[in-house]
């Protein structure tokens, strides 16, 4: 395997972390999923088991390959249990203070050559790297997309101090995981969310101003622009709170009123209508049995 990465530690067992761990395991790389919340780890394990079983059932994977991927996965509740790993991907909550605290710990726990990557969707890599002191050259953004096993892209974000070697190793690892890496500079929202979130925000304005009903806005974008999901359905899928928070990062960092979250989006978030995860956002979702 290129890059010689044998074991990746993935910190945070939410949707993104569990998808990243599964993708690594399917590529033959050991993945240690860390979360302080045992319930979250149990959910991730159930997702892995179900996804691998389904792939076998659908003849997309042999039973042996699924078993081999299953053996590459393990689940722990503390970072201390993972210190022999040779790569870290942080996929914890989108809070700069939480991330900086984790990166401070990574710099203490992991060997000097270990790359410390963040799956952040909009927080500055340069800022996160400040928590690691002399390790800033090994800090990089590795932005995966949901659902990770299906989405081809890894947006690779270079902070001000990230070394060329770290960028090259990250590109290699993304390819070894079956992804296509594309690089972007460390500006708010990078490329993906700088472009996607204002589009989603505009769909909320179109709804709020009565340009069309939400289902029709989505249908127009599905059929007219070949989107795989309409922008409002996609917002629910991503999480309306996440969309809101990313818009606020763009607004604050880029200082332009065009990035301010639409009042309709703000109101739904205030009401706790967060999308798929809360059962209701723009649309309603039946509880999963
Ligand atoms: N994990 C593993 N497998 C999954 C999965 C998941 N989370 N979700 C779906 N699949 C599998 C399904 O089981 C199904 O497998 P089978 O063929 O064996 O049944 C297969 O994938 C296709 O599933 P669907 O029929 O449900 O899929 P679809 O053809 O409707 O496509 C989709 C689903 C890929 C999600 C598609 O709707 C899509 O591309 N949507 C847009 C997604 C997108 O834009 N993501 C980026 C969001 S932005 C982001 O993540 C970054 C950020 O910073 C906010």
């Amino acid at each position: 395997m290129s890059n010689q990465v044998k074991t990746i530690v993935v910190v945070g067992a939410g949707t993104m972390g569990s998808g990243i761990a599964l993708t690594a395991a399917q590529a033959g790389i050991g993945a240690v999923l860390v979360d302080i919340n045992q319930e979250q780890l149990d959910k991730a394990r159930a997702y892995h088991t179900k996804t691998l079983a389904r792939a076998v059932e659908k003849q997309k994977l042999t039973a042996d390959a699924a078993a081999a991927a299953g053996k590459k996965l393990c689940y722990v509740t503390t970072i201390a249990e993972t210190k022999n790993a040779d790569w870290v991907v942080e996929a914890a909550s989108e809070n700069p203070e939480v991330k900086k605290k984790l990166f401070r710990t990574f710099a203490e726990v992991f060997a000097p050559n270990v790359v410390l990557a963040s799956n952040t969707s909009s927080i500055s890599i340069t800022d996160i790297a400040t928590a690691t002191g002399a390790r800033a050259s090994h800090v990089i953004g590795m932005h995966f997309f949901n659902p990770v096993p299906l989405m081809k892209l890894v947006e690779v974000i270079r902070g001000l101090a990230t070394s060329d070697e770290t960028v090259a190793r990250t590109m290699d690892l993304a390819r070894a995981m079956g992804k296509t890496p594309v690089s972007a500079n460390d500006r708010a929202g990078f490329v993906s969310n700088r472009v996607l979130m204002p589009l989603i925000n505009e769909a909320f304005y179109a709804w709020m101003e009565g340009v069309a009903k939400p289902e029709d806005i989505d249908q127009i974008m599905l059929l007219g622009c070949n989107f795989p999901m309409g922008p409002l359905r996609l917002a629910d899928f991503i999480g309306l709170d996440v969309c809101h928070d990313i818009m606020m990062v763009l607004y604050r960092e880029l200082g332009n009123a065009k990035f301010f979250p639409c009042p309709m989006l703000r109101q739904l978030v205030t009401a706790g209508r967060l999308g798929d995860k809360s059962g209701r956002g723009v649309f309603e979702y039946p509880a999963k049995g």
Side-chain angles (χ1 to χ4, degrees), residues 47 51 54 58 60 121 143 145-147 150-151 193 234:
Y47 162 67
T51 306
R54 185 168 173 80
K58 288 252 173 177
K60 289 181 177 170
S121 50
H143 185 204
F145 292 79
N146 187 22
L150 304 187
M151 303 297 284
N193 283 320
L234 181 59

Side-chain angles (χ1 to χ4, degrees), residues 206-262:
W207 175 24
M208 190 178 81
E209 292 172 8
V211 180
K213 292 184 289 187
E215 49 275 33
D216 291 344
I217 293 170
D218 273 11
Q219 189 75 334
I220 285 165
M221 300 309 286
L222 274 169
L223 301 181
C225 300
N226 252 0
F227 279 30
M229 277 177 172
L232 296 171
R233 172 71 195 94
L234 181 59
D236 277 351
F237 180 67
I238 292 169
L240 300 192
D241 51 340
V242 175
C243 295
H244 174 272
D245 291 351
I246 295 174
M247 286 306 291
M248 285 306 292
V249 170
L250 294 173
Y251 173 66
R252 274 197 309 267
E253 297 294 321
L254 301 170
N256 189 324
K258 75 178 178 181
F259 294 114
F260 198 71
C262 171

Side-chain angles (χ1 to χ4, degrees), residues 12-277:
T15 307
M16 297 307 288
S18 53
I20 295 165
L22 179 61
T23 303
Q26 287 199 255
I29 301 167
V32 184
L33 195 51
V34 190
D35 202 300
I36 44 172
N37 183 340
Q38 183 63 47
E39 203 183 316
Q40 200 66 43
L41 286 175
D42 294 341
K43 267 197 211 164
R45 190 197 295 266
Y47 162 67
H48 293 157
T49 308
K50 189 173 156 197
T51 306
L52 290 171
R54 185 168 173 80
V56 173
E57 199 184 298
K58 288 252 173 177
Q59 299 187 335
K60 289 181 177 170
L61 212 58
T62 64
D64 283 353
K71 283 194 192 123
K72 291 282 178 192
L73 288 156
C74 75
Y75 309 85
V76 300
T77 51
T78 62
I79 290 169
E81 294 168 74
T82 70
K83 61 181 175 206
N84 293 326
D86 40 15
W87 199 282
V88 182
V89 180
E90 171 277 321
S93 58
E94 278 293 283
N95 174 322
E97 292 320 309
V98 170
K99 289 195 190 293
K100 281 161 98 167
K101 193 166 171 225
L102 280 171
F103 274 74
R104 210 166 289 128
T105 306
F106 298 161
E108 285 162 17
V109 169
F110 294 104
N113 205 31
V114 171
V115 170
L116 311 176
S118 175
N119 177 56
T120 181
S121 50
S122 61
I123 296 170
S124 162
I125 298 301
T126 305
D127 188 26
I128 293 172
T130 59
T132 67
R135 294 284 290 275
S137 62
H138 284 66
V139 177
I140 195 159
M142 238 183 141
H143 185 204
F144 291 83
F145 292 79
N146 187 22
V148 180
L150 304 187
M151 303 297 284
K152 279 290 173 201
L153 179 67
V154 176
E155 192 176 30
V156 174
I157 302 106
R158 175 183 198 131
L160 205 59
T162 310
S163 69
D164 291 345
E165 192 200 343
T166 299
V167 174
R169 289 172 66 194
T170 304
M171 295 289 197
D172 281 352
L173 176 63
R175 288 190 196 100
M177 290 173 75
K179 302 297 180 197
T180 303
V182 182
S183 59
N185 285 323
D186 188 21
R187 298 283 183 278
F190 319 128
V191 171
S192 54
N193 283 320
R194 171 82 176 256
V195 176
L196 174 65
M197 288 301 158
L199 185 144
I200 287 177
N201 204 44
E202 203 55 37
F204 277 92
Y205 274 112
W207 175 24
M208 190 178 81
E209 292 172 8
V211 180
K213 292 184 289 187
E215 49 275 33
D216 291 344
I217 293 170
D218 273 11
Q219 189 75 334
I220 285 165
M221 300 309 286
L222 274 169
L223 301 181
C225 300
N226 252 0
F227 279 30
M229 277 177 172
L232 296 171
R233 172 71 195 94
L234 181 59
D236 277 351
F237 180 67
I238 292 169
L240 300 192
D241 51 340
V242 175
C243 295
H244 174 272
D245 291 351
I246 295 174
M247 286 306 291
M248 285 306 292
V249 170
L250 294 173
Y251 173 66
R252 274 197 309 267
E253 297 294 321
L254 301 170
N256 189 324
K258 75 178 178 181
F259 294 114
F260 198 71
C262 171
M264 191 68 133
L265 170 60
R266 294 173 71 81
Q267 197 172 35
L268 292 184
V269 173
T270 303
R273 284 172 57 174
L274 306 181
D276 297 31
K277 62 186 163 191

